[in-house]
């Protein structure tokens, strides 16, 4: 899924911004901080117009990290194929183990 490059709203109004916010002492680094840094490292020196073409991959990585669209689609496809194979009788769900190893 290809998104329109930059949203119409400002960056600080985006719902995923809390996942890319500044790290706090004693707390783990936010989920998408590396992607956020990569995108702005690419886009800041060249400006918005050129960044639309040149930093597209970094922005797509940031969106994927924040929203997980591709991951959900992949998971949905796998489950759909699995249920299709179960209906055709080509795949059986393995039994759960009787003993639990701790």
């Amino acid at each position: 899924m290809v998104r329109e490059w930059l949203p119409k709203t400002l960056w600080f109004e985006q719902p995923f911004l809390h996942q890319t916010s500044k790290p706090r002492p004693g707390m783990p680094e936010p989920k998408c901080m590396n992607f956020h840094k990569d995108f702005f490292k690419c886009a800041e020196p060249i400006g918005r117009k050129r960044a639309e073409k040149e930093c597209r991959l970094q922005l797509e990585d940031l969106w994927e990290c924040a929203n997980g669209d591709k991951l959900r689609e992949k998971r949905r496809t796998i489950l759909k194929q699995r249920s299709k194979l179960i209906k055709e009788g080509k795949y059986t769900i393995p039994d759960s183990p009787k003993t639990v190893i701790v």
Side-chain angles (χ1 to χ4, degrees), residues 33-98:
M33 189 64 165
N34 290 335
F35 296 110
H36 189 260
K37 286 178 184 177
D38 288 344
F39 172 69
F40 279 101
K41 187 176 179 181
C42 174
E44 187 178 19
I46 61 177
R48 183 176 176 151
K49 296 272 185 189
R50 281 182 53 203
E52 288 182 19
K53 293 180 183 175
E54 297 177 25
C55 302
R56 185 175 201 93
L57 294 176
Q58 288 88 347
L59 182 64
E60 287 176 4
D61 288 342
L62 177 60
W63 274 106
E64 173 56 27
C65 176
N67 299 325
D69 294 338
K70 292 178 187 174
L71 181 64
R72 275 194 301 275
E73 185 61 34
K74 183 177 180 179
R75 188 177 296 141
R76 195 176 300 125
T77 303
I78 290 171
L79 290 174
K80 188 176 179 181
Q81 180 66 20
R82 179 177 175 241
S83 61
K84 178 184 171 189
L85 291 174
I86 289 172
K87 287 178 184 177
E88 292 174 357
K90 295 180 181 178
Y91 177 77
T92 56
I93 300 172
D95 295 333
S96 60
K98 301 293 181 195

Side-chain angles (χ1 to χ4, degrees), residues 17-38:
L17 196 59
H18 70 279
Q19 297 173 353
T20 62
S21 61
K22 200 168 141 180
R24 296 183 183 136
M27 299 295 288
E29 194 170 82
K31 177 181 165 187
C32 301
M33 189 64 165
N34 290 335
F35 296 110
H36 189 260
K37 286 178 184 177
D38 288 344

